[in-house]
Short mmCIF file of all heavy atoms in Angstrom, two decimals:
data_model
loop_
_atom_site.label_atom_id
_atom_site.label_comp_id
_atom_site.label_asym_id
_atom_site.label_seq_id
_atom_site.Cartn_x
_atom_site.Cartn_y
_atom_site.Cartn_z
N ALA N 1463 0.85 -1.19 0.01
CA ALA N 1463 -0.01 0.00 0.00
C ALA N 1463 0.87 1.24 0.01
O ALA N 1463 1.95 1.26 0.56
CB ALA N 1463 -0.94 0.02 1.20
N GLY N 1464 0.37 2.30 -0.61
CA GLY N 1464 1.07 3.58 -0.66
C GLY N 1464 0.13 4.73 -0.48
O GLY N 1464 -1.05 4.65 -0.75
N ILE N 1465 0.68 5.86 -0.05
CA ILE N 1465 -0.09 7.06 0.20
C ILE N 1465 0.78 8.28 -0.10
O ILE N 1465 1.96 8.30 0.26
CB ILE N 1465 -0.66 7.06 1.63
CG1 ILE N 1465 -1.64 8.22 1.82
CG2 ILE N 1465 0.48 7.13 2.64
CD1 ILE N 1465 -2.46 8.09 3.13
N THR N 1466 0.20 9.27 -0.73
CA THR N 1466 0.93 10.50 -1.05
C THR N 1466 1.07 11.37 0.19
O THR N 1466 0.52 11.10 1.25
CB THR N 1466 0.25 11.27 -2.19
OG1 THR N 1466 -1.12 11.52 -1.84
CG2 THR N 1466 0.30 10.48 -3.47
N TRP N 1467 1.84 12.45 0.06
CA TRP N 1467 2.22 13.26 1.20
C TRP N 1467 1.03 13.80 1.98
O TRP N 1467 1.11 13.95 3.20
CB TRP N 1467 3.13 14.40 0.75
CG TRP N 1467 2.44 15.38 -0.17
CD1 TRP N 1467 1.76 16.49 0.18
CD2 TRP N 1467 2.36 15.30 -1.61
NE1 TRP N 1467 1.26 17.12 -0.94
CE2 TRP N 1467 1.65 16.41 -2.04
CE3 TRP N 1467 2.85 14.39 -2.53
CZ2 TRP N 1467 1.36 16.65 -3.39
CZ3 TRP N 1467 2.60 14.63 -3.88
CH2 TRP N 1467 1.87 15.72 -4.30
N SER N 1468 -0.05 14.14 1.29
CA SER N 1468 -1.23 14.71 1.97
C SER N 1468 -2.29 13.68 2.24
O SER N 1468 -3.31 13.99 2.90
CB SER N 1468 -1.81 15.83 1.13
OG SER N 1468 -2.30 15.34 -0.11
N GLY N 1469 -2.11 12.47 1.76
CA GLY N 1469 -3.13 11.45 1.88
C GLY N 1469 -4.21 11.50 0.81
O GLY N 1469 -5.18 10.71 0.90
N GLN N 1470 -4.08 12.34 -0.16
CA GLN N 1470 -5.10 12.50 -1.19
C GLN N 1470 -5.18 11.35 -2.16
O GLN N 1470 -6.23 11.15 -2.78
CB GLN N 1470 -4.88 13.78 -1.96
CG GLN N 1470 -3.59 13.85 -2.78
CD GLN N 1470 -3.21 15.24 -3.16
OE1 GLN N 1470 -2.98 16.10 -2.32
NE2 GLN N 1470 -3.10 15.47 -4.47
N ASN N 1471 -4.09 10.58 -2.32
CA ASN N 1471 -4.08 9.45 -3.20
C ASN N 1471 -3.55 8.25 -2.46
O ASN N 1471 -2.59 8.36 -1.72
CB ASN N 1471 -3.20 9.73 -4.44
CG ASN N 1471 -3.70 10.87 -5.25
OD1 ASN N 1471 -3.08 11.93 -5.31
ND2 ASN N 1471 -4.85 10.68 -5.93
N THR N 1472 -4.14 7.12 -2.70
CA THR N 1472 -3.70 5.86 -2.15
C THR N 1472 -3.63 4.80 -3.26
O THR N 1472 -4.29 4.92 -4.28
CB THR N 1472 -4.63 5.37 -1.03
OG1 THR N 1472 -5.96 5.18 -1.50
CG2 THR N 1472 -4.60 6.35 0.15
N ARG N 1473 -2.86 3.77 -3.00
CA ARG N 1473 -2.70 2.70 -3.94
C ARG N 1473 -2.50 1.40 -3.17
O ARG N 1473 -1.86 1.38 -2.13
CB ARG N 1473 -1.49 2.94 -4.86
CG ARG N 1473 -1.17 1.87 -5.83
CD ARG N 1473 0.08 2.21 -6.61
NE ARG N 1473 0.61 1.06 -7.36
CZ ARG N 1473 0.25 0.75 -8.60
NH1 ARG N 1473 -0.64 1.51 -9.24
NH2 ARG N 1473 0.78 -0.31 -9.18
N TYR N 1474 -3.06 0.31 -3.71
CA TYR N 1474 -3.00 -0.99 -3.06
C TYR N 1474 -2.71 -2.08 -4.09
O TYR N 1474 -3.14 -2.00 -5.20
CB TYR N 1474 -4.30 -1.34 -2.36
CG TYR N 1474 -4.73 -0.35 -1.28
CD1 TYR N 1474 -5.56 0.71 -1.62
CD2 TYR N 1474 -4.32 -0.51 0.01
CE1 TYR N 1474 -5.97 1.61 -0.64
CE2 TYR N 1474 -4.72 0.41 0.99
CZ TYR N 1474 -5.53 1.45 0.67
OH TYR N 1474 -5.91 2.35 1.62
N VAL N 1475 -1.98 -3.06 -3.61
CA VAL N 1475 -1.85 -4.28 -4.42
C VAL N 1475 -3.22 -4.97 -4.44
O VAL N 1475 -4.00 -4.90 -3.49
CB VAL N 1475 -0.77 -5.20 -3.84
CG1 VAL N 1475 -1.13 -5.77 -2.49
CG2 VAL N 1475 -0.36 -6.29 -4.85
N ASP N 1476 -3.52 -5.60 -5.55
CA ASP N 1476 -4.87 -6.19 -5.70
C ASP N 1476 -5.25 -7.15 -4.61
O ASP N 1476 -6.42 -7.18 -4.21
CB ASP N 1476 -4.94 -6.92 -7.07
CG ASP N 1476 -5.02 -6.00 -8.23
OD1 ASP N 1476 -5.28 -4.80 -8.04
OD2 ASP N 1476 -4.81 -6.48 -9.39
N SER N 1477 -4.31 -7.89 -4.07
CA SER N 1477 -4.65 -8.92 -3.11
C SER N 1477 -5.13 -8.39 -1.76
O SER N 1477 -5.71 -9.15 -0.99
CB SER N 1477 -3.43 -9.83 -2.88
OG SER N 1477 -2.33 -9.07 -2.36
N VAL N 1478 -4.92 -7.09 -1.50
CA VAL N 1478 -5.36 -6.54 -0.22
C VAL N 1478 -6.47 -5.50 -0.39
O VAL N 1478 -6.94 -4.96 0.61
CB VAL N 1478 -4.18 -5.90 0.55
CG1 VAL N 1478 -3.03 -6.89 0.67
CG2 VAL N 1478 -3.71 -4.62 -0.05
N LYS N 1479 -6.88 -5.21 -1.60
CA LYS N 1479 -7.95 -4.22 -1.81
C LYS N 1479 -9.23 -4.63 -1.11
O LYS N 1479 -9.63 -5.77 -1.19
CB LYS N 1479 -8.19 -4.03 -3.30
CG LYS N 1479 -7.10 -3.29 -4.01
CD LYS N 1479 -7.41 -3.13 -5.49
CE LYS N 1479 -6.31 -2.37 -6.22
NZ LYS N 1479 -6.56 -2.25 -7.66
N GLY N 1480 -9.79 -3.66 -0.38
CA GLY N 1480 -11.01 -3.92 0.34
C GLY N 1480 -10.80 -4.46 1.75
O GLY N 1480 -11.72 -4.53 2.55
N ARG N 1481 -9.54 -4.84 2.04
CA ARG N 1481 -9.20 -5.40 3.35
C ARG N 1481 -8.25 -4.50 4.15
O ARG N 1481 -8.34 -4.43 5.34
CB ARG N 1481 -8.60 -6.78 3.24
CG ARG N 1481 -9.56 -7.81 2.58
CD ARG N 1481 -8.96 -9.24 2.70
NE ARG N 1481 -7.69 -9.33 1.98
CZ ARG N 1481 -6.54 -9.69 2.55
NH1 ARG N 1481 -6.50 -9.96 3.86
NH2 ARG N 1481 -5.44 -9.81 1.83
N PHE N 1482 -7.31 -3.86 3.45
CA PHE N 1482 -6.31 -3.02 4.09
C PHE N 1482 -6.60 -1.56 3.78
O PHE N 1482 -7.07 -1.24 2.68
CB PHE N 1482 -4.93 -3.34 3.57
CG PHE N 1482 -4.39 -4.68 3.99
CD1 PHE N 1482 -5.15 -5.64 4.59
CD2 PHE N 1482 -3.03 -4.96 3.78
CE1 PHE N 1482 -4.65 -6.88 4.99
CE2 PHE N 1482 -2.53 -6.21 4.16
CZ PHE N 1482 -3.31 -7.15 4.73
N THR N 1483 -6.28 -0.69 4.72
CA THR N 1483 -6.42 0.74 4.53
C THR N 1483 -5.16 1.42 5.03
O THR N 1483 -4.78 1.26 6.17
CB THR N 1483 -7.62 1.29 5.29
OG1 THR N 1483 -8.82 0.65 4.82
CG2 THR N 1483 -7.77 2.80 5.03
N ILE N 1484 -4.53 2.22 4.18
CA ILE N 1484 -3.38 3.03 4.56
C ILE N 1484 -3.86 4.44 4.89
O ILE N 1484 -4.74 4.97 4.20
CB ILE N 1484 -2.31 3.03 3.46
CG1 ILE N 1484 -1.02 3.70 3.98
CG2 ILE N 1484 -2.82 3.66 2.19
CD1 ILE N 1484 0.16 3.49 3.02
N SER N 1485 -3.26 5.04 5.89
CA SER N 1485 -3.63 6.41 6.27
C SER N 1485 -2.38 7.05 6.91
O SER N 1485 -1.40 6.36 7.21
CB SER N 1485 -4.81 6.44 7.22
OG SER N 1485 -4.51 5.76 8.42
N ARG N 1486 -2.45 8.34 7.10
CA ARG N 1486 -1.32 9.03 7.73
C ARG N 1486 -1.80 10.20 8.57
O ARG N 1486 -2.86 10.77 8.33
CB ARG N 1486 -0.32 9.50 6.65
CG ARG N 1486 -0.86 10.61 5.75
CD ARG N 1486 0.08 10.81 4.58
NE ARG N 1486 1.40 11.26 4.97
CZ ARG N 1486 2.52 11.16 4.26
NH1 ARG N 1486 2.44 10.60 3.04
NH2 ARG N 1486 3.67 11.62 4.70
N ASP N 1487 -0.97 10.55 9.55
CA ASP N 1487 -1.20 11.72 10.38
C ASP N 1487 0.09 12.53 10.39
O ASP N 1487 1.05 12.14 11.05
CB ASP N 1487 -1.58 11.30 11.80
CG ASP N 1487 -1.94 12.48 12.68
OD1 ASP N 1487 -1.63 13.64 12.30
OD2 ASP N 1487 -2.55 12.27 13.75
N ASN N 1488 0.09 13.58 9.57
CA ASN N 1488 1.33 14.32 9.42
C ASN N 1488 1.72 15.14 10.69
O ASN N 1488 2.87 15.53 10.87
CB ASN N 1488 1.24 15.28 8.21
CG ASN N 1488 1.32 14.53 6.89
OD1 ASN N 1488 1.59 13.31 6.86
ND2 ASN N 1488 1.12 15.24 5.81
N THR N 1489 0.76 15.37 11.55
CA THR N 1489 1.09 16.05 12.80
C THR N 1489 1.84 15.15 13.76
O THR N 1489 2.50 15.63 14.68
CB THR N 1489 -0.17 16.59 13.51
OG1 THR N 1489 -0.98 15.49 13.98
CG2 THR N 1489 -1.00 17.43 12.54
N ARG N 1490 1.74 13.86 13.54
CA ARG N 1490 2.44 12.87 14.38
C ARG N 1490 3.55 12.13 13.62
O ARG N 1490 4.15 11.21 14.17
CB ARG N 1490 1.44 11.86 14.94
CG ARG N 1490 0.49 12.45 15.94
CD ARG N 1490 -0.50 11.42 16.46
NE ARG N 1490 -1.19 11.85 17.64
CZ ARG N 1490 -2.28 12.63 17.64
NH1 ARG N 1490 -2.78 13.05 16.49
NH2 ARG N 1490 -2.82 12.99 18.78
N ASN N 1491 3.79 12.54 12.37
CA ASN N 1491 4.81 11.87 11.55
C ASN N 1491 4.59 10.34 11.54
O ASN N 1491 5.55 9.59 11.62
CB ASN N 1491 6.23 12.19 12.06
CG ASN N 1491 6.61 13.64 11.86
OD1 ASN N 1491 6.10 14.32 10.95
ND2 ASN N 1491 7.51 14.13 12.68
N THR N 1492 3.35 9.95 11.34
CA THR N 1492 3.02 8.56 11.43
C THR N 1492 2.16 8.14 10.26
O THR N 1492 1.25 8.85 9.86
CB THR N 1492 2.28 8.26 12.76
OG1 THR N 1492 3.08 8.67 13.85
CG2 THR N 1492 1.96 6.80 12.87
N VAL N 1493 2.47 6.94 9.72
CA VAL N 1493 1.66 6.31 8.72
C VAL N 1493 1.16 4.99 9.28
O VAL N 1493 1.85 4.34 10.05
CB VAL N 1493 2.44 6.10 7.41
CG1 VAL N 1493 3.62 5.20 7.62
CG2 VAL N 1493 1.54 5.57 6.30
N TYR N 1494 -0.07 4.61 8.94
CA TYR N 1494 -0.73 3.43 9.47
C TYR N 1494 -1.13 2.49 8.37
O TYR N 1494 -1.34 2.88 7.22
CB TYR N 1494 -2.00 3.84 10.22
CG TYR N 1494 -1.81 4.89 11.30
CD1 TYR N 1494 -1.98 6.20 11.06
CD2 TYR N 1494 -1.43 4.50 12.60
CE1 TYR N 1494 -1.80 7.17 12.02
CE2 TYR N 1494 -1.24 5.44 13.59
CZ TYR N 1494 -1.41 6.78 13.29
OH TYR N 1494 -1.26 7.72 14.28
N LEU N 1495 -1.24 1.23 8.73
CA LEU N 1495 -1.85 0.23 7.85
C LEU N 1495 -2.82 -0.57 8.66
O LEU N 1495 -2.43 -1.42 9.48
CB LEU N 1495 -0.76 -0.67 7.23
CG LEU N 1495 -1.30 -1.66 6.21
CD1 LEU N 1495 -1.82 -0.94 4.96
CD2 LEU N 1495 -0.21 -2.66 5.79
N GLN N 1496 -4.10 -0.31 8.44
CA GLN N 1496 -5.16 -1.10 9.08
C GLN N 1496 -5.41 -2.33 8.23
O GLN N 1496 -5.75 -2.22 7.06
CB GLN N 1496 -6.41 -0.27 9.21
CG GLN N 1496 -7.58 -1.04 9.85
CD GLN N 1496 -7.33 -1.41 11.26
OE1 GLN N 1496 -6.87 -0.61 12.07
NE2 GLN N 1496 -7.59 -2.67 11.60
N MET N 1497 -5.24 -3.49 8.82
CA MET N 1497 -5.38 -4.77 8.12
C MET N 1497 -6.53 -5.52 8.71
O MET N 1497 -6.51 -5.88 9.89
CB MET N 1497 -4.09 -5.58 8.22
CG MET N 1497 -2.84 -4.83 7.71
SD MET N 1497 -1.39 -5.88 7.63
CE MET N 1497 -1.15 -6.18 9.41
N ASN N 1498 -7.52 -5.78 7.92
CA ASN N 1498 -8.71 -6.51 8.32
C ASN N 1498 -8.84 -7.80 7.50
O ASN N 1498 -8.24 -7.94 6.44
CB ASN N 1498 -9.96 -5.68 8.13
CG ASN N 1498 -9.98 -4.41 8.97
OD1 ASN N 1498 -9.49 -4.40 10.09
ND2 ASN N 1498 -10.57 -3.36 8.42
N SER N 1499 -9.62 -8.71 8.02
CA SER N 1499 -9.88 -9.99 7.33
C SER N 1499 -8.60 -10.68 6.91
O SER N 1499 -8.43 -11.12 5.76
CB SER N 1499 -10.80 -9.76 6.12
OG SER N 1499 -12.00 -9.15 6.47
N LEU N 1500 -7.71 -10.75 7.83
CA LEU N 1500 -6.36 -11.27 7.54
C LEU N 1500 -6.42 -12.76 7.14
O LEU N 1500 -7.21 -13.52 7.66
CB LEU N 1500 -5.45 -11.10 8.72
CG LEU N 1500 -4.89 -9.66 8.87
CD1 LEU N 1500 -4.38 -9.43 10.28
CD2 LEU N 1500 -3.83 -9.40 7.84
N LYS N 1501 -5.56 -13.10 6.18
CA LYS N 1501 -5.44 -14.42 5.67
C LYS N 1501 -4.03 -14.97 5.97
O LYS N 1501 -3.11 -14.20 6.13
CB LYS N 1501 -5.68 -14.45 4.14
CG LYS N 1501 -6.98 -13.83 3.71
CD LYS N 1501 -7.05 -13.78 2.20
CE LYS N 1501 -8.36 -13.17 1.70
NZ LYS N 1501 -8.41 -13.06 0.24
N PRO N 1502 -3.88 -16.29 5.99
CA PRO N 1502 -2.54 -16.83 6.19
C PRO N 1502 -1.51 -16.31 5.21
O PRO N 1502 -0.35 -16.13 5.56
CB PRO N 1502 -2.74 -18.34 6.05
CG PRO N 1502 -4.15 -18.57 6.49
CD PRO N 1502 -4.90 -17.37 5.98
N GLU N 1503 -1.89 -16.05 3.97
CA GLU N 1503 -0.96 -15.59 2.96
C GLU N 1503 -0.56 -14.12 3.20
O GLU N 1503 0.36 -13.63 2.53
CB GLU N 1503 -1.56 -15.71 1.56
CG GLU N 1503 -2.95 -15.14 1.40
CD GLU N 1503 -4.03 -16.21 1.54
OE1 GLU N 1503 -3.95 -17.04 2.48
OE2 GLU N 1503 -4.96 -16.18 0.72
N ASP N 1504 -1.16 -13.44 4.17
CA ASP N 1504 -0.72 -12.11 4.55
C ASP N 1504 0.45 -12.13 5.47
O ASP N 1504 1.04 -11.08 5.77
CB ASP N 1504 -1.86 -11.32 5.21
CG ASP N 1504 -2.99 -11.04 4.26
OD1 ASP N 1504 -2.74 -10.68 3.09
OD2 ASP N 1504 -4.16 -11.15 4.71
N ALA N 1505 0.77 -13.27 6.05
CA ALA N 1505 1.88 -13.39 7.00
C ALA N 1505 3.19 -12.99 6.35
O ALA N 1505 3.50 -13.51 5.26
CB ALA N 1505 1.95 -14.82 7.57
N ALA N 1506 3.94 -12.13 6.98
CA ALA N 1506 5.18 -11.62 6.42
C ALA N 1506 5.78 -10.63 7.40
O ALA N 1506 5.17 -10.28 8.40
CB ALA N 1506 4.95 -10.91 5.05
N THR N 1507 6.98 -10.21 7.07
CA THR N 1507 7.58 -9.03 7.73
C THR N 1507 7.10 -7.81 6.96
O THR N 1507 7.33 -7.74 5.73
CB THR N 1507 9.10 -9.11 7.80
OG1 THR N 1507 9.49 -10.30 8.50
CG2 THR N 1507 9.65 -7.89 8.52
#
């Protein structure tokens, strides 16, 4: 998943669309990845 500097554009690999959400909080210098409906094939570093 990817997100532009302001969060106005996002991009996802097909296999996680609808399940993962990327977001950011520039006041906290933090980017997040919310992962739902996890599958065994999502296991990774």
Side-chain angles (χ1 to χ4, degrees):
I1465 188 167
T1466 55
W1467 64 91
S1468 65
Q1470 64 197 59
N1471 299 110
T1472 58
R1473 176 183 168 90
Y1474 301 91
V1475 67
D1476 285 346
S1477 61
V1478 309
K1479 287 180 179 177
R1481 299 189 297 120
F1482 291 11
T1483 302
I1484 188 171
S1485 62
R1486 67 191 297 160
D1487 185 345
N1488 287 353
T1489 68
R1490 292 178 165 84
N1491 292 334
T1492 302
V1493 62
Y1494 306 93
L1495 185 66
Q1496 178 65 48
M1497 305 187 294
N1498 298 324
S1499 301
L1500 282 162
K1501 305 174 180 179
E1503 51 264 44
D1504 294 319
T1507 301

